[in-house]
């Protein structure tokens, strides 16, 4: 049963895009730290003091390329 939560987070998650199975590389906290570091670096690069400013200080473009060669070595599914 799907539960919709107004203004909240539902109990389920759906992956969007492609899913990739990779070899175990350790605790997920290291990966999250890398992602947060990239976001922090991006905010610094564009001059955003807080995350909310990111959309005001950048121009997002739609990418239409469907094939990403980086993932060809992995087991890719939908």
């Amino acid at each position: 049963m799907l539960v919709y939560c107004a203004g909240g987070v539902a109990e389920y998650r759906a992956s969007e895009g492609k899913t990739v199975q990779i070899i175990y590389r350790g605790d997920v906290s290291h990966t999250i730290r890398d992602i947060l570091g990239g976001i922090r670096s991006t905010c610094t690069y564009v001059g955003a003091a807080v995350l909310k400013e990111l959309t005001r200080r950048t121009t997002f473009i739609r990418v239409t390329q469907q094939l990403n060669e980086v993932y060809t070595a992995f087991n890719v599914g939908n």
Side-chain angles (χ1 to χ4, degrees):
M1 180 170 103
L2 295 178
V3 178
Y4 295 97
C5 301
V9 178
E11 295 179 18
Y12 61 90
R13 290 277 189 241
S15 61
E16 295 183 18
K18 295 184 183 248
T19 56
V20 179
Q21 185 175 17
I22 60 172
I23 298 170
Y24 177 74
R25 295 188 296 184
D27 191 51
V28 72
S29 65
H30 301 294
T31 303
I32 292 171
R33 194 173 322 136
D34 286 345
I35 293 169
L36 291 176
I39 294 170
R40 190 176 302 113
S41 176
T42 300
C43 287
T44 302
Y45 183 74
V46 301
V50 294
L51 193 58
K52 193 171 189 173
E53 290 181 6
L54 189 60
T55 56
R56 286 183 264 151
R57 298 195 178 263
T58 57
T59 301
F60 291 93
I61 59 171
R62 181 180 303 255
V63 177
T64 57
Q65 181 180 357
Q66 295 296 312
L67 179 62
N68 188 339
E69 299 291 334
V70 172
Y71 296 115
T72 56
F74 298 108
N75 179 19
V76 178
N78 278 338

